[in-house]
Amino acid sequence: MFSISTLVDVVRIPPSLFGTTLKKAAVNILKEKYESMINAELGYIIMILDAKVDEMGKMIAGDGGTFHKVEFEALTFYPKLQEIVQGEIVDITDFGAFVRIGPTDALLHLSQVMDDYLKSDVKMGLILANQSGRTLKVGSTLRARITAVSLGKAAAMGKIGITCRQPFLGADEWIEEEIKKAGGSSEPAKEEKVEAS
């Protein structure tokens, strides 16, 4: 789930940035420190949006920089268990596929694709179902449910597991087929004109 989080920190403005505005210097330092970082409570920190810098800074003896309290907003992505996500397959492996969801990739294991015997062809970038003939390939878009999230300190990249083994999950074409089988239609309902008598 994407959200905007408000955080508070103290930034050190080095003497080399004294010529720029305080806000611009603080935002640049915050971007270097936080962007592309994974935090166990916030998830993936994508970008710094805005910052309010306390103009009155502090100095420490022997350090030429100034220290300022900063309150800033960051765009974050925190994958939640059981959340439904839309993604695109970016890589096929022997054991499944990696699906791009938001700013990161999640693992779709072969056992979590569907109830069918599956073969993975890494060279062709393809997963093929034996009985149904359905395929997944690099570039396929799909809908999945998040089943595992690990964003702890030890996980430098974070680990996310997803499944498509539930109704109305999987490749977009499969979902359309399921809707048609269920008696619904993926096309918008046509309006009928009714004449008043």
Side-chain angles (χ1 to χ4, degrees):
M1 173 190 327
F2 288 95
S3 62
I4 296 176
S5 303
T6 303
L7 304 167
V8 177
D9 198 355
V10 174
V11 295
R12 178 187 178 272
I13 309 294
S16 60
L17 293 178
F18 283 172
T20 62
T21 65
L22 189 58
K23 182 177 178 175
K24 186 176 180 182
V27 167
N28 286 340
I29 291 167
L30 290 169
K31 283 183 178 199
E32 284 180 28
K33 180 176 179 181
Y34 286 98
E35 286 185 358
S36 300
M37 176 179 157
I38 299 174
N39 181 294
E41 285 127 35
L42 297 171
Y44 297 83
I45 299 175
I46 300 168
M47 67 184 294
I48 304 301
L49 300 173
D50 193 21
K52 293 177 188 167
V53 185
D54 189 356
E55 290 184 14
M56 185 61 71
K58 293 183 178 178
M59 295 184 77
I60 296 175
D63 188 336
T66 59
F67 295 82
H68 299 265
K69 185 176 178 182
V70 181
E71 183 178 302
F72 62 99
E73 291 182 342
L75 176 64
T76 60
F77 174 75
Y78 193 92
K80 304 248 184 207
L81 283 176
Q82 306 305 322
E83 180 181 5
I84 302 289
V85 291
Q86 193 75 21
E88 179 182 346
I89 295 179
V90 292
D91 191 23
I92 301 285
T93 66
D94 290 330
F95 51 85
F98 284 98
V99 180
R100 175 88 19 99
I101 57 168
T104 189
D105 295 343
L107 173 63
L108 176 61
H109 193 272
L110 281 177
S111 65
Q112 296 300 313
V113 176
M114 68 173 74
D115 294 324
D116 199 342
Y117 179 74
L118 300 169
K119 289 186 280 185
S120 179
D121 188 340
V122 178
K123 289 182 182 175
M124 295 286 288
L126 192 72
I127 295 175
L128 177 65
N130 220 17
Q131 295 172 340
S132 66
R134 290 179 166 176
T135 61
L136 285 177
K137 60 181 185 272
V138 173
S140 295
T141 55
L142 55 83
R143 184 185 300 166
R145 181 180 301 275
I146 296 177
T147 57
V149 177
S150 175
L151 300 177
K153 292 178 182 175
M157 291 292 294
K159 294 177 183 174
I160 303 170
I162 57 177
T163 185
C164 292
R165 286 184 69 165
Q166 294 172 354
F168 303 105
L169 295 181
D172 294 344
E173 311 87 65
W174 306 350
I175 296 169
E176 286 178 25
E177 288 173 20
E178 284 185 48
I179 291 170
K180 287 178 184 171
K181 281 182 189 175
S185 175
S186 61
E187 297 174 15
K190 294 180 182 176
E191 291 182 26
E192 293 183 21
K193 292 184 181 179
V194 178
E195 293 182 18
S197 52

